[in-house]
Amino acid sequence: MAEPAERIDPVSLEEFQAMHFGDRRAELIDGVIVVAQEFPTARHGAIAAALGANLYNAIRGGRLPCRVEVGTGIEIRQDRDWNLGPDVTVRCGGTCREPGQPTLVAEILSPSNRATELMRKLHAYQSVPSLTDILLIEQDAYRVEHWTRTERGSWTLAEPLSGPDAVLSLPRLGRAWRLEELYGDL
């Protein structure tokens, strides 16, 4: 005889924030807690560092009122709450004590990212009114998907970029980079 299904109730953002996960990273995805089973790979960390450094330099060079954050959370209220931790976030406005609004998020994909989880996260990110750019970066190949919000508020996917010489352009930051630069492989 089969075991009865265990019911998992959604967790609110407040309940999630009151929980402690030790040294493990956790996200709240559509009301469900997802705890990372292992640390990111060295490749994952190198891409996050290179991307963060390039974005930081673009923001500083353009004297934009923005900042780069690595591994911080974004809270999203929907029917079920979300607390996502993109690998890299750009926030604009705000102060040093009060963060501005997220305008760009980047997720570095690894083999452990499930496609269904990623699509749910993409839809949640797209619901954040201030976000204008979403980057999905493959860890094990030079491949980037760049989602951008149009002036009318809809989202478009640019032609996927692949190969070390492909160029990612972020007009809102006034910069473009070869993927090799963003991957930290120069």
Side-chain angles (χ1 to χ4, degrees):
M1 185 168 183
E3 293 291 320
E6 184 178 331
R7 181 169 178 226
I8 301 175
D9 291 325
V11 173
S12 73
L13 189 54
E14 292 78 15
E15 291 169 317
F16 177 77
Q17 290 170 336
M19 295 177 180
H20 300 282
F21 300 97
D23 61 352
R24 296 184 298 175
R25 181 177 169 178
E27 291 182 305
L28 185 62
I29 299 176
D30 201 17
V32 176
I33 299 168
V34 177
V35 178
Q37 298 301 313
E38 57 190 42
F39 290 110
T41 65
R43 178 80 170 145
H44 183 117
I47 295 168
L51 177 62
N54 279 290
L55 292 171
Y56 175 85
N57 288 334
I59 288 167
R60 286 291 182 230
R63 296 187 167 292
L64 302 173
C66 304
R67 70 180 186 194
V68 178
E69 299 173 355
V70 177
T72 58
I74 294 179
E75 298 171 354
I76 303 169
R77 295 264 189 198
Q78 293 182 339
D79 291 338
R80 291 187 184 181
D81 291 335
W82 299 71
N83 191 342
L84 300 177
D87 294 295
V88 179
T89 303
V90 172
R91 291 181 187 268
C92 295
T95 66
C96 59
R97 292 202 187 341
E98 291 294 321
Q101 295 299 311
T103 59
L104 177 147
V105 294
E107 289 271 353
I108 300 167
L109 311 178
S110 64
S112 66
N113 293 108
R114 292 198 334 247
T116 54
E117 174 185 305
L118 184 60
M119 288 308 297
R120 290 170 48 211
K121 288 171 83 170
L122 176 63
H123 291 301
Y125 285 136
Q126 289 175 338
S127 76
V128 177
S130 62
L131 276 178
T132 58
D133 295 275
I134 301 169
L135 303 176
L136 304 178
I137 302 171
E138 290 287 338
Q139 172 180 286
D140 297 326
Y142 291 105
R143 183 170 168 79
V144 175
E145 287 186 9
H146 180 198
W147 291 84
T148 58
R149 189 185 301 269
T150 66
E151 294 293 325
R152 295 183 184 172
S154 61
W155 285 90
T156 60
L157 173 62
E159 186 70 30
L161 303 168
S162 74
D165 293 322
V167 176
L168 172 67
S169 179
L170 295 174
R172 290 175 178 97
L173 296 181
R175 279 296 316 265
W177 300 269
R178 291 176 41 243
L179 292 191
E180 190 173 52
E181 293 174 84
L182 292 182
Y183 277 68
D185 292 341
L186 289 178

